[in-house]
Amino acid sequence: MTFDETSMVPDHVYDDGCELQALKGVFLVLVVFGLFIIIYCSDIKGSNTYQDVVLSLCGPKAQLACAVCILVTCFGSCTTGLIVIYDQWELFFLNVAPDLYCTTHPFYMTRAFITSATSVVFILPLCFTKRIDFLKHSSCVGVIGCLYIAVLVAVKYFLPHDNQGTIATGPHSWVDIFLVVPNIGFAYACQVSIIPIYSCMTKRNMREFTKTVTLAMILCVITYTVTATLGYLQFGDVVTADILLSFNPTADVMVAVVLVAVKTYTTYPIICFCGKAAFETLWGMFWKMSPEEILHKEKTRRVITTLVWFTLTLLLSIFIPNIGVAIQIIGANTALLIFVFPGLSLMKTMQNRIESGERQPSKVYLLRWTAIFFFVIGVFIFGLTLSQSILQDIRGVKPDSSKFTCS
């Protein structure tokens, strides 16, 4: 659970901070609306994956672009997750056995061993599933972990504490308000996994889906807002990207550290499932396979794909243990999945109705213009945030000052 300082200015401090809060609120509304768009479009042809929705409405070329986008996003997210796992274990070692970790450096505390061993035990067995609803029970553990962290930050805020930094009055430039978009996209975007989940619902309809999404988004908004706002108010401009680094390493904080790792263990298989589905689509397109040929040896191909996916993300997480830029770039990439492809799908759906020759209600034309808006804003956000991420990487980022350290 990470955030940067520009994205978490409290909404009651200064007027400039209200701009950021307003942007986050508008973006969240658009994200949720985008979910309903893609679900509505999936029901037209009964599609079971995001890329199949795009294929059914926009054609194979759009499906190819969508599948590539999903593959890159999911692969990067899985790699980032494995990096986060060891970062949490490192914080745990620094607190429970600092002398052993800092002086002896035993092999069983290294990134390579801990990430590999725990991932093979807790993640890999969950990645071979054929249906995503198999992961619903493990996901509950991750939800509990997020709620615990939000409660922890809130309790520590209301207990006596020293204010260690100053509260920012606003962004340095109006363009900087868009720096929050990758983080919000990374946190709230679930367009890729929502179609497979929706297809597994016992009652597949918009009414049941609305209940599910409403509850999920309420939980997300509460946990993210409480953690980010109260965390920032406690530490101001010296807050660390990982809020847990800012607290003294007490027992309750260490529990939160472990729960972040546990939550990541349960998230990886879901993202992996969606990434493998995108790869399966690309594989079928490359070899021009028929639906019957795709089903042939599906199990063998699924096992091999899972092992290759897991191995590659594991190796990258060990040898490239820096997630800052990855989150920014992946977050920028989600603009395509949140806005561009839903916009294209809705626009094609409404255009087909208009060109049918039948008289259409005015809401059809309104939805077409809404789809165009989604497409345009998606392209704008993707280009802007990706450029900002690259420039930020070139300038370099100041490392966090953590209480968890060997020095």
Side-chain angles (χ1 to χ4, degrees), residues 287-298:
W287 293 106
K288 299 180 180 179
M289 299 168 66
S290 65
E292 293 75 17
E293 290 173 327
I294 292 175
L295 290 176
H296 182 61
K297 294 185 178 180
E298 181 275 334

Side-chain angles (χ1 to χ4, degrees), residues 82 116-129 265 268-269 272 276 303 305-311:
L82 294 180
S116 301
T118 60
S119 298
V120 167
V121 173
F122 299 116
I123 292 178
L124 187 57
L126 298 175
C127 292
F128 294 104
T129 177
Y265 287 129
Y268 183 106
C272 178
K276 289 188 301 177
V303 171
T305 302
T306 298
L307 292 173
V308 172
W309 181 285
F310 177 79
T311 301

Side-chain angles (χ1 to χ4, degrees), residues 257-286:
V257 166
V258 174
L259 285 176
V260 171
V262 171
K263 181 260 181 189
T264 310
Y265 287 129
T266 62
T267 302
Y268 183 106
I270 298 174
I271 303 173
C272 178
F273 180 93
C274 300
K276 289 188 301 177
F279 176 79
E280 184 81 359
T281 298
L282 294 173
W283 183 266
M285 295 179 69
F286 180 79

Side-chain angles (χ1 to χ4, degrees), residues 1 3 88 91 148-150 152-153 156 227 235 239-250 252-261 402-404:
M1 183 173 297
F3 57 90
Q88 303 311 306
L91 302 185
Y148 175 86
I149 294 171
L152 173 70
V153 174
K156 287 188 172 293
T227 304
F235 302 103
V239 69
T240 52
D242 183 343
I243 183 63
L244 298 179
L245 291 176
S246 296
F247 293 109
N248 292 318
T250 53
D252 52 353
V253 173
M254 298 316 301
V255 171
V257 166
V258 174
L259 285 176
V260 171
S402 172
K403 296 181 175 68
F404 297 80

Side-chain angles (χ1 to χ4, degrees), residues 42-108:
S42 74
D43 276 340
I44 295 175
K45 296 291 181 67
S47 304
N48 294 326
T49 64
Y50 191 112
Q51 57 270 23
D52 286 346
V53 174
V54 176
L55 171 65
S56 65
L57 296 171
C58 304
K61 291 184 179 179
Q63 184 198 32
L64 174 62
C66 180
V68 170
C69 184
I70 292 173
L71 184 68
V72 172
T73 301
C74 291
F75 189 84
S77 298
C78 285
T79 304
T80 301
L82 294 180
I83 294 171
V84 169
I85 286 173
Y86 180 74
D87 288 347
Q88 303 311 306
W89 282 112
E90 184 178 38
L91 302 185
F92 182 79
F93 295 147
L94 283 169
N95 182 65
V96 300
D99 294 335
L100 179 64
Y101 177 78
C102 294
T103 58
T104 308
H105 305 294
F107 79 94
Y108 53 83

